[in-house]
Amino acid sequence: MARGCGFVGPRRRLTARRRGSFSLGFDNGVGYHRRGSHLNGMAREALRAFLVLLGVALSARLQPAQAAGAATPPPPIPVDAEADRRGTPVRLLSLEEVLQLGRLHNVGLRAAELLPQQARLDVVFAEAGFEPELYGSVGYADSQSPARNLFQPSVTTKTLDAALGWRQRVVTGGLFDLAFRPARFESSGSTAFPDRQYSSEWSATFRQPLLRGAWTDYNLAPITTARFLESQANHQFERVVQDTLLQIVQAYWELVFARENWRVVGSALAVALEQLRITDERIRVRELAARDRVADESEVARRREELIVAENAIRAREDALRQLLFDGSDPQLWNFNLRPTSAITVAPLVEEIAFAPLVEVALLQRPDLRSLRSAVAAAEVAQVEADRDTLPSLDLIGGYSSDGVRDQFNPAFNDSIDQQYPDWSVRLEFSIPVGNHAAWSRRQRAALEVERQRRELHAATLEVTKEVREAVRNLQSLAQSIAASGESVRLATTNLETEQVKLRVGSSTAFEVQRRIQDLSEAQSRHLRNQLDYRVAQSRLLYVQGLLRAPAAR
C-alpha cells in the first residue's frame, strides 16, 4: 500500500544468480539486507533504478484509488474550529454578498455620499438668486425748525411713513421693483400748509444692464457652474465607490488566499512529519544514526512556525474585510467568523482580448474622466463671466409712478390708484473703471484655468488608456501563469514522490527530500497566488473601464 507520499510495501524478496546467489529484502519499506558478495556496482545501480521506477509506478497507481475511495476531508481551519467551539456567529459570504454589504455599510462611502448632497444644495443656493423678494419698512420722524423771521416761524413736523414692495431679478440681469409707499405728515406753527396731510404712491422701476452683467449666459453662469460642480461631485463619489469596491474585492480574495495558504502550509507540515516518521523508522532498524533526525525535526519546526504565521494572516485578513463591510453598529462585529464561499480556483482560457473596444468603454464610463469633463465645463463658464466683466457698465433704467396727496388717506389712495398724477422716466447710466486691471487679470486667469483643466483631462485620458492595456495584459499573463504554476505543482509533487522512494532505497539523502518538500510548498503557494491575482485582475479590468459596481440585491 502507499502511505504518505512515499512507497511503502510489504516484505518482498528479490533473488538473482551471478557467480553465486544474493537476496535483497525489504522490511516495511525501510532498509535492505544484502546477501552474497558477488554483486558488482553496476548491478546495484540497475537494481536501485528498477526499485525507484517500481515505487513511483505503484504510488501513481495507488494515489487515484486513495483520492476516490479513501479521501480524507481537509482539517478545519483554526478560526473556524474556534468559532464552532465557542458558538460564535458565522457569516457565509460570497463575492456578490460582500460587494452588496460594502456598498450599503462601508463607513467611508457613507461619509463620501454627503458630498453630492452638499453640491446639490449649492445648486439650490444659486437658483435662489432669481426668487422674488417681498420687503417692507416703517418709520417715524419728529423735527422742529427754529424761527427765522416773521414769515418763517418755528415749525414742528411729525412724519409717519411706510413702504411695502416686491422685487424680482430676471435671467437677463434686470431687476424689477414694484412698491407702495403711504405716509402721514403733521405740522404746527405754519399757516401756509394744512396741519395734517396723507400721501399714497405706487412706483415701478426696471433696471437692465446692457454690457457688463447682461443677458442670460452671464446671469445663469452661477447656476450652470453649480450644476457642473454637482455633476463633478457625483462622478467623484462614483469613483470613491469603485475604489472601495475594488478594495473589498482584494480583501475578500486575500482572505480566501490566507485560508487556502494555511492548508498548503499544513500539507507541507504533514509531509515533513511523514518524512520524520520514516527517518525514525530507519533509525529504529539501525540504518541511520539518531543524529540524522535533527534535519527532519528542524524542517518540522519551520513548517509549524509557518503554520502559526498563516493562521495569524487569516485573522488579519478577516479584520481588514470586517472594516470594509460593516459600520460598527453591531456589537458582535469583531466576533463574526467570516467564511468565504466563492472558490478561488480558476482555470482560465488563454485567449487574446482586444484593447480598442475596452478603451472606448473606459473613456465613456470612467467616473474620473467624467468628473474632469465637468471641471472643464465649469472653467469655461467662469471664463465667460470673466470676459463679460471686462466690458464697461451701461444700464437702462425705466420708472413709472402714481401718487396722491390729500388731507385724508382714502382720497389720496384713490388718486394714486386712478393714476391721477402719473410720472415716468427713462435714463442711461455708464461707468468704467480706469485701467480695469482687475477685470483683465481675472479674464487671463480664467483662460489659464480652462487650459489647465483641458491638459489634465488629456493626461487622464492617456493614463486611462494605459491602465486598460495594462489590465488586459495582466489578465492574459496571469492566465498563462496559472497554467504554468499548475504544471509546476504537478511536477514538484512527482519529484517529491520520486525523491522519497530514492531515499528509501538508499540512493538519495534527507536533504534532497527536504528540498523537494520546499519546492512543492513554493509551487503550491505560487499557484495559489496566481489564482488570487487573476481573480483580482478580473475585477480590476472592470474597474479600469468604470464598470465595477455592486450587484443589485435579489
Side-chain angles (χ1 to χ4, degrees):
M1 60 178 294
R3 185 172 182 180
C5 297
F7 169 69
V8 180
R11 181 183 299 271
R12 297 188 179 184
R13 185 172 302 277
L14 299 176
T15 59
R17 291 188 178 275
R18 183 180 179 185
R19 293 185 180 181
S21 64
F22 70 90
S23 64
L24 196 67
F26 291 94
D27 187 2
N28 292 327
V30 293
Y32 63 88
H33 305 282
R34 181 167 48 187
R35 295 180 183 178
S37 58
H38 302 289
L39 182 62
N40 57 26
M42 184 179 296
R44 284 198 302 269
E45 293 301 325
L47 182 59
R48 285 178 180 176
F50 169 74
L51 292 175
V52 169
L53 294 175
L54 179 61
V56 172
L58 290 175
S59 297
R61 288 173 64 89
L62 290 174
Q63 279 182 353
Q66 287 183 337
T72 58
I77 294 177
V79 292
D80 295 350
E82 180 182 342
D84 294 338
R85 185 174 64 255
R86 295 182 177 181
T88 303
V90 177
R91 295 294 297 267
L92 301 177
L93 297 173
S94 65
L95 180 60
E96 293 76 14
E97 290 171 338
V98 297
L99 290 175
Q100 292 172 357
L101 282 174
R103 181 62 182 86
L104 291 176
H105 302 294
N106 181 269
V107 292
L109 292 183
R110 297 185 69 177
E113 68 184 2
L114 300 179
L115 295 176
Q117 298 180 23
Q118 293 176 336
R120 195 170 302 114
L121 293 177
D122 291 339
V123 175
V124 175
F125 177 81
E127 292 175 343
F130 294 98
E131 292 180 351
E133 180 183 12
L134 181 66
Y135 66 92
S137 64
V138 62
Y140 175 79
D142 190 343
S143 63
Q144 184 175 4
S145 62
R148 293 179 173 82
N149 49 52
L150 295 177
F151 301 99
Q152 293 181 331
S154 175
V155 177
T156 301
T157 304
K158 297 179 180 180
T159 304
L160 178 63
D161 64 273
L164 181 64
W166 177 84
R167 52 178 166 242
Q168 167 77 57
R169 183 187 173 201
V170 296
V171 295
T172 60
L175 180 64
F176 178 77
D177 191 327
L178 175 64
F180 171 63
R181 296 181 178 86
R184 186 186 73 175
F185 304 95
E186 292 183 0
S187 61
S188 60
S190 174
T191 58
F193 299 97
D195 293 340
R196 179 176 296 178
Q197 285 184 326
Y198 294 90
S199 67
S200 174
E201 180 185 11
W202 290 92
S203 64
T205 59
F206 184 75
R207 185 186 191 101
Q208 173 60 53
L210 301 178
L211 294 177
R212 185 195 305 168
W215 317 125
T216 57
D217 55 349
Y218 182 92
N219 291 279
L220 292 178
I223 297 177
T224 306
T225 301
R227 287 175 177 169
F228 282 129
L229 294 179
E230 180 190 9
S231 176
Q232 183 180 12
N234 287 328
H235 297 320
Q236 290 174 346
F237 173 64
E238 180 62 24
R239 178 61 185 268
V240 174
V241 170
Q242 297 199 21
D243 289 342
T244 304
L245 292 180
L246 184 61
Q247 293 175 10
I248 291 173
V249 169
Q250 292 174 331
Y252 180 83
W253 290 121
E254 285 287 353
L255 175 58
V256 177
F257 170 82
R259 292 167 66 91
E260 295 298 326
N261 186 62
W262 182 90
R263 292 191 174 99
V264 170
V265 176
S267 176
L269 175 60
V271 173
L273 288 171
E274 174 64 14
Q275 184 60 40
L276 178 60
R277 185 197 67 79
I278 295 173
T279 301
D280 288 339
E281 187 66 19
R282 297 181 69 184
I283 293 173
R284 185 183 66 82
V285 298
R286 294 185 177 85
E287 184 179 346
L288 295 176
R291 66 177 179 272
D292 290 333
R293 75 189 310 269
V294 174
D296 291 333
E297 287 179 333
S298 175
E299 181 70 12
V300 169
R302 186 165 70 91
R303 296 301 177 183
R304 283 178 174 158
E305 180 184 358
E306 291 178 354
L307 196 64
I308 294 172
V309 174
E311 180 181 348
N312 183 64
I314 295 175
R315 300 181 187 275
R317 300 307 181 201
E318 276 192 342
D319 286 347
L321 189 58
R322 287 190 189 100
Q323 183 182 9
L324 291 170
L325 297 186
F326 304 106
D327 56 9
S329 59
D330 191 339
Q332 294 293 326
L333 165 64
W334 300 106
N335 295 326
F336 288 154
N337 176 226
L338 305 183
R339 300 185 186 180
T341 59
S342 297
I344 195 174
T345 305
V346 60
L349 297 176
V350 180
E351 57 184 7
E352 191 71 20
I353 302 177
F355 292 103
L358 302 184
V359 171
E360 292 179 1
V361 173
L363 295 180
L364 290 176
Q365 298 294 330
R366 278 285 290 261
D368 51 342
L369 292 183
R370 299 171 75 178
S371 175
L372 287 173
R373 293 189 187 102
S374 297
V376 170
E380 290 173 346
V381 173
Q383 185 181 20
V384 171
E385 288 186 282
D387 289 343
R388 198 66 56 83
D389 286 339
T390 60
L391 299 176
S393 175
L394 179 63
D395 296 348
L396 174 64
I397 305 171
Y400 180 86
S401 65
S402 174
D403 58 358
V405 179
R406 295 293 185 94
D407 56 357
Q408 293 183 356
F409 179 74
N410 286 338
F413 180 76
N414 292 333
D415 288 346
S416 63
I417 291 295
D418 296 338
Q419 302 181 24
Q420 295 293 326
Y421 307 98
D423 297 321
W424 63 272
S425 63
V426 176
R427 69 178 182 272
L428 287 173
E429 290 186 357
F430 176 82
S431 67
I432 184 172
V434 178
N436 206 16
H437 295 299
W440 284 101
S441 64
R442 286 196 301 269
R443 178 186 181 184
Q444 294 176 358
R445 188 183 186 282
L448 292 176
E449 179 65 16
V450 170
E451 182 62 24
R452 185 183 72 85
Q453 293 290 348
R454 288 174 177 170
R455 292 182 182 184
E456 287 190 357
L457 177 60
H458 180 66
T461 301
L462 296 178
E463 179 66 21
V464 166
T465 303
K466 181 185 77 70
E467 289 179 358
V468 172
R469 294 172 62 86
E470 183 179 2
V472 172
R473 283 195 303 268
N474 287 343
L475 196 65
Q476 294 173 333
S477 175
L478 287 169
Q480 297 173 356
S481 297
I482 289 175
S485 59
E487 182 65 13
S488 296
V489 170
R490 187 187 68 82
L491 294 176
T493 303
T494 302
N495 286 340
L496 175 59
E497 293 170 354
T498 302
E499 205 65 35
Q500 286 176 327
V501 173
K502 291 170 64 177
L503 176 64
R504 290 168 186 170
V505 298
S507 63
S508 183
T509 63
F511 175 74
E512 292 298 328
V513 173
Q514 291 172 4
R515 283 183 56 190
R516 299 301 183 269
I517 294 174
Q518 180 67 21
D519 291 343
L520 176 59
S521 178
E522 291 177 354
Q524 290 173 331
S525 295
R526 287 197 308 271
H527 187 58
L528 193 59
R529 174 57 67 175
N530 286 335
Q531 290 176 328
L532 162 67
D533 293 341
Y534 185 85
R535 289 296 194 184
V536 175
Q538 287 178 315
S539 297
R540 182 162 184 81
L541 184 58
L542 294 175
Y543 169 79
V544 297
Q545 297 177 79
L547 301 177
L548 182 59
R549 297 180 178 88
R554 297 178 181 176

